[in-house]
Amino acid sequence: MNRDKGMHPSNHIIAVVLLTAFIFAGGCVSLQKQPVKVPTVSTEMMTTQTLTSEADKAWRMRDYVTSELYYTRLLARTDIPENVILPATERLAVSSFKSGHYHEAEARLEEWKRLSDKAISSPVWQEYYFETLSAIKDYPKLREHLAQTMEDPFLPWAIRSTAGKNLSGMNQDENSLAALERLYAIAPEDANKTELEQWVMNGLKSKSKAEIDAMNELIPSGGNLKFPYELLVFEKAVRQAEDTEYWPMSWRAMAGIIQNGQITDKTFFTEILSGLESKYGIPRVGIALVLPISGRFQEYGWKIVRGAGAAQWEMTKAGLDVDVQVINTEAPDWLERLQNLPPWYTTIGGPISVKAFKKLEQAGIYADKVTFSFLAKPGNLEEGKQAWRFFSSPEDQIRASLDLAVNDLGITRLAVLYPQEKFGRQMSKKFFDMAAMRGARITGMESYPPRDFPKWGKVVGKLVRAPQKQAQNEAEGLGEDAPLAETDFGAVFIPDTWHQAQLLIPHFFFHEADTLVFLGPELWSQALNSARDVEARNLRLTVAPGAWWPASDGAGRLKEVMNREGLGTPDFWIALGYDFIKFAGRLGTFSEGWTAETVNGRIAEAQNMDFSLAPISWDTEGHASQKLYLFRPEQNGKTRIDAELVSTTLAKAKGRRAARVKAWEEKQAELEAKKAEAAELENTEQ
């Protein structure tokens, strides 16, 4: 079918569509109705051939009001030639749109599609259909149309691509980015992906800093290395590079995307990074690890160093200049060595002992170097202002246990059994307070002498109120074999070592408190890493939090690195070193006079990484929290569990108890029946 040049939308129209359709575009193209002109000659006096000629003339002159009228009258004729119907319908659709009659335009576009199965393959039809539905604000229909068009494998890629781009401008939320993510995923050729990458980057250049920041907030977890989210990160890094404080972090973000991201046209992005490198240089990041490399805890120190070495090697291969200096906290001059490091060593990781941290604190080094302690608490320093934490806290451990017991299992009555020592008392107080914040009640609390084993059975009996239950049975005339009533709490927190817990928990079963969930600290899961021949049958409701799980995705990636470099099998301490160096490398260097606000701002960016341990996150105030895994004992170690598994195990325990009580009741009923029968027989004989 012949079309004159006026039949095609101009390049200007397409450009406007693309610009307005790009991410978070505001509103549609400004459209106004054309002034109405009255034809000088009545169309009723024209022959069909003349009317066709006049309509085409008005069309060529871009007199769309007149062409709309003429083509409308023409299509109403019964003697219109068959070969005129489709072109007349096409031109009527465009004329109606140009005249501002958008509902009429929609009807004619739908008729055009009915007459020709090639309509949806036409850029003209697609563009005017988009503009028409936008003009009448039928957004649900438009959104559905664009999504279907984008996914249609039988349409030309140019049509599908434009539909996807337009769809990305439909919403001012994460759906816009999700549409681009899907469009990139279905792009058939690398050239198509390259075009999308450059289209997005060109669009981002026109965005303000506030818009870029807002769009970065919409990046889903784990999306930093996926299109289009990686380009948002890249563009933000490009802009931050202007601030020399942020350059090392920006460089790390851009280099990581080029090396590990989904981008197809690596040359395009490498040229951007190279231009910045020529201006600012390749950044050098210095990280100091203060650890025990000799003495009692040297095993842990060396493991952290191994993990740090693996991370440093990975980063060096990516082109990042990372210096890692290890300082032995067992050496008498370790503080002096730390203070004399070159100026680019601005971040400290460690120590792992409270004693060493106190020395660092007293020396005031934390005021000059950004310090991340490998401890549950950064000494007497204010977390998020004077020092930071790269380790789980007691609150993290208790939170994981309460999430399971209260939120998942619905247990709102709890008990605490703690050793009479500092750790036990502190953990018990935190547990009490955090449980109360969730609306749970502590209905039982007892303490025990940590080394006086003979007294433990009596203490546990008191906690579960065994003497009162036995007295109640006696008052009701029940024998010693009568089951004891259940406790009024569903879970008990025992803040002690795993060795002690193994000796305590059997006392609960002795007193028939066998439907309880036993909650412990991270000490349990750490000990279970090397435990063997554990009597796990009665410990299936024993739960402990932990940061290391070898079967997690992050741990799997660390294993691959360790195996590739011949560094052995990773564990918690190795993962700690590996994660910290990756994290600290993302922070970059800090200039003299840094502030807590600067550090917390860097942390907000750096924490968006893949952890091999349970992920750590920091709030805007710099307070860390770690979402710990949950474990239960197995014969030779531990296994990760979830709420569903614990719930099922608890239901089985309750089922076994109910069956035991029922069996006792049936036996009692049988005995009563025999007594009654004997009495009746005796009366008969008399």
Side-chain angles (χ1 to χ4, degrees):
M1 177 179 65
N2 293 326
R3 291 195 188 99
D4 54 35
K5 293 182 180 179
M7 192 62 225
H8 296 275
S10 67
N11 291 334
H12 173 71
I13 291 178
I14 295 177
V16 169
V17 170
L18 294 184
L19 285 174
T20 56
F22 187 54
I23 309 171
F24 305 157
C28 301
V29 178
S30 177
L31 304 169
Q32 296 182 349
K33 293 184 178 181
Q34 298 291 322
V36 177
K37 298 180 182 178
V38 179
T40 56
V41 180
S42 172
T43 58
E44 295 180 0
M45 304 297 295
M46 300 180 187
T47 65
T48 297
Q49 183 177 359
T50 301
L51 183 57
T52 302
S53 177
E54 289 297 317
D56 291 345
K57 179 180 177 182
W59 169 260
R60 287 191 296 272
M61 294 179 66
R62 300 188 180 183
D63 181 0
Y64 296 115
V65 172
T66 302
S67 65
E68 179 187 20
L69 174 63
Y70 283 172
Y71 282 126
T72 300
R73 300 289 173 80
L74 177 61
L75 287 168
R77 297 283 178 97
T78 58
D79 61 340
I80 181 174
E82 185 72 25
N83 65 337
V84 174
I85 294 176
L86 179 58
T89 302
E90 295 176 0
R91 293 179 177 184
L92 176 54
V94 175
S95 297
S96 296
F97 175 83
K98 293 286 190 178
S99 300
H101 301 144
Y102 306 124
H103 287 284
E104 177 66 19
E106 180 190 12
R108 294 304 178 175
L109 286 164
E110 295 287 1
E111 178 66 12
W112 177 358
K113 185 172 69 170
R114 188 188 68 79
L115 291 172
S116 172
D117 56 6
K118 296 180 180 179
I120 61 173
S121 298
S122 164
V124 177
W125 186 91
Q126 288 285 353
E127 297 299 342
Y128 278 104
Y129 197 68
F130 171 82
E131 294 284 10
T132 298
L133 293 183
S134 296
I136 64 177
K137 295 180 170 58
D138 192 348
Y139 299 126
K141 184 175 182 179
L142 177 57
R143 191 176 294 110
E144 180 181 4
H145 162 73
L146 292 174
Q148 290 178 348
T149 302
M150 180 180 74
E151 296 287 350
D152 191 339
F154 298 104
L155 291 177
W157 176 248
I159 297 290
R160 299 173 66 191
S161 177
T162 300
K165 292 172 181 175
N166 288 344
L167 182 61
S168 76
M170 290 294 293
N171 298 296
Q172 297 187 17
D173 56 23
E174 61 274 7
N175 292 329
S176 295
L177 298 175
L180 286 175
E181 180 182 11
R182 177 58 183 164
L183 181 63
Y184 190 83
I186 61 177
E189 304 289 342
D190 283 350
N192 307 137
K193 294 181 186 292
T194 294
E195 186 274 330
L196 279 173
E197 290 167 359
Q198 295 185 8
W199 181 79
V200 171
M201 290 300 293
N202 288 334
L204 290 175
K205 288 179 182 178
S206 64
K207 301 297 176 184
S208 67
K209 178 182 183 301
E211 289 175 308
I212 295 294
D213 289 343
M215 293 163 71
N216 269 266
E217 290 295 320
L218 298 176
I219 298 176
S221 176
N224 280 23
L225 295 176
K226 295 180 180 178
F227 181 93
Y229 314 109
E230 59 187 350
L231 302 194
L232 300 180
V233 176
F234 196 93
E235 176 62 23
K236 184 174 182 178
V238 169
R239 298 187 185 202
Q240 288 179 330
E242 298 175 2
D243 184 344
T244 55
E245 282 283 312
Y246 276 94
W247 169 233
M249 179 187 289
S250 299
W251 188 95
R252 172 63 177 149
M254 289 183 278
I257 289 169
I258 292 171
Q259 182 182 29
N260 302 313
Q262 285 186 339
I263 55 174
T264 303
D265 188 7
K266 292 185 181 294
T267 301
F268 174 80
F269 293 92
T270 300
E271 288 175 354
I272 295 175
L273 180 57
S274 296
L276 293 170
E277 287 175 345
S278 64
K279 187 175 183 180
Y280 302 113
I282 296 178
R284 188 177 192 181
V285 178
I287 305 167
L289 291 176
V290 286
L291 302 167
I293 302 304
S294 60
R296 180 182 174 189
F297 300 109
Q298 63 175 297
E299 177 186 356
Y300 306 120
W302 279 112
K303 284 185 175 182
I304 294 173
V305 170
R306 282 170 58 198
Q312 183 183 17
W313 178 240
E314 287 289 293
M315 296 164 75
T316 299
K317 288 195 298 183
L320 183 59
D321 189 4
V322 179
D323 292 341
V324 178
Q325 181 73 42
V326 180
I327 295 178
N328 184 8
T329 54
E330 296 298 303
D333 62 342
W334 73 273
L335 287 171
E336 183 180 350
R337 291 184 59 200
L338 182 58
Q339 290 171 320
N340 292 333
L341 285 174
W344 61 84
Y345 284 90
T346 58
T347 303
I348 296 174
I352 65 172
S353 77
V354 174
K355 181 180 178 181
F357 194 87
K358 283 183 178 179
K359 290 182 178 180
L360 184 148
E361 183 181 336
Q362 291 166 359
I365 295 175
Y366 65 88
D368 298 321
K369 299 185 184 298
V370 179
T371 304
F372 287 84
S373 71
F374 295 164
L375 295 166
K377 184 176 181 291
N380 295 316
L381 301 181
E382 187 174 358
E383 184 177 353
K385 289 189 175 181
Q386 296 175 301
W388 288 261
R389 180 165 50 87
F390 201 86
F391 209 79
S392 65
S393 68
E395 289 80 4
D396 293 334
Q397 301 173 42
I398 293 170
R399 187 184 304 112
S401 296
L402 288 174
D403 281 345
L404 172 71
V406 180
N407 297 4
D408 298 329
L409 301 179
I411 299 173
T412 57
R413 297 169 70 90
L414 308 161
V416 178
L417 179 63
Y418 66 95
Q420 296 165 356
E421 55 188 8
K422 183 178 179 181
F423 177 78
R425 287 190 291 269
Q426 289 178 339
M427 291 292 283
S428 297
K429 178 66 168 59
K430 293 181 188 296
F431 187 88
F432 186 97
D433 293 340
M434 293 178 68
M437 291 174 61
R438 296 168 182 257
R441 292 178 56 201
I442 304 299
T443 60
M445 180 173 284
E446 295 291 340
S447 65
Y448 56 92
R451 284 167 290 279
D452 196 349
F453 304 139
K455 292 184 179 179
W456 289 6
K458 189 174 182 179
V459 173
V460 172
K462 184 179 179 182
L463 178 66
V464 301
R465 298 175 181 83
Q468 294 93 320
K469 295 174 185 178
Q470 291 166 350
Q472 181 65 31
N473 283 352
E474 291 176 7
E476 295 176 2
L478 303 178
E480 292 184 357
D481 63 336
L484 300 179
E486 283 196 270
T487 58
D488 67 343
F489 50 82
V492 56
F493 179 55
I494 307 176
D496 205 342
T497 66
W498 174 242
H499 174 73
Q500 301 281 80
Q502 285 187 97
L503 301 175
L504 274 167
I505 292 173
H507 289 290
F508 286 89
F509 290 89
F510 176 80
H511 292 293
E512 299 182 26
D514 53 359
T515 58
L516 295 173
V517 178
F518 298 101
L519 307 172
E522 192 170 10
L523 289 172
W524 292 10
S525 67
Q526 290 174 356
L528 287 169
N529 287 331
S530 57
R532 295 293 179 268
D533 298 322
V534 176
E535 181 53 58
R537 186 172 61 87
N538 289 331
L539 299 174
R540 296 191 179 280
L541 288 173
T542 301
V543 179
W548 170 251
W549 176 231
S552 71
D553 291 341
R557 287 188 289 271
L558 175 55
K559 282 182 184 177
E560 292 177 3
V561 173
M562 300 290 286
N563 289 337
R564 188 165 59 244
E565 306 302 333
L567 295 173
T569 303
D571 63 6
F572 168 82
W573 297 102
I574 290 173
L576 176 64
Y578 181 79
D579 284 351
F580 178 72
I581 295 301
K582 286 175 57 184
F583 171 77
R586 294 169 67 89
L587 290 176
T589 57
F590 295 90
S591 63
E592 187 176 356
W594 54 265
T595 64
E597 289 73 21
T598 300
V599 178
N600 291 333
R602 301 272 193 95
I603 288 173
E605 301 286 339
Q607 65 183 323
N608 297 315
M609 57 173 269
D610 293 326
F611 287 86
S612 57
L613 291 173
I616 305 176
S617 60
W618 288 261
D619 63 20
T620 55
E621 300 299 316
H623 299 144
S625 62
Q626 190 168 27
K627 189 173 178 59
L628 299 172
Y629 305 119
L630 290 174
F631 303 97
R632 78 176 180 190
E634 292 293 327
Q635 182 179 1
N636 292 312
K638 64 185 181 184
T639 188
R640 188 180 172 187
I641 57 171
D642 56 22
E644 183 178 357
L645 178 59
V646 177
S647 179
T648 301
T649 306
L650 181 59
K652 290 179 179 178
K654 289 182 177 293
R656 287 192 295 271
R657 187 183 190 285
R660 189 172 69 251
V661 172
K662 181 180 180 182
W664 180 85
E665 290 174 344
E666 290 175 348
K667 182 178 179 181
Q668 294 304 113
E670 183 181 340
L671 291 174
E672 290 298 325
K674 287 182 178 179
K675 285 182 182 179
E677 183 180 347
E680 182 180 355
L681 180 60
E682 184 178 347
N683 291 336
T684 302
E685 290 176 348
Q686 290 176 353

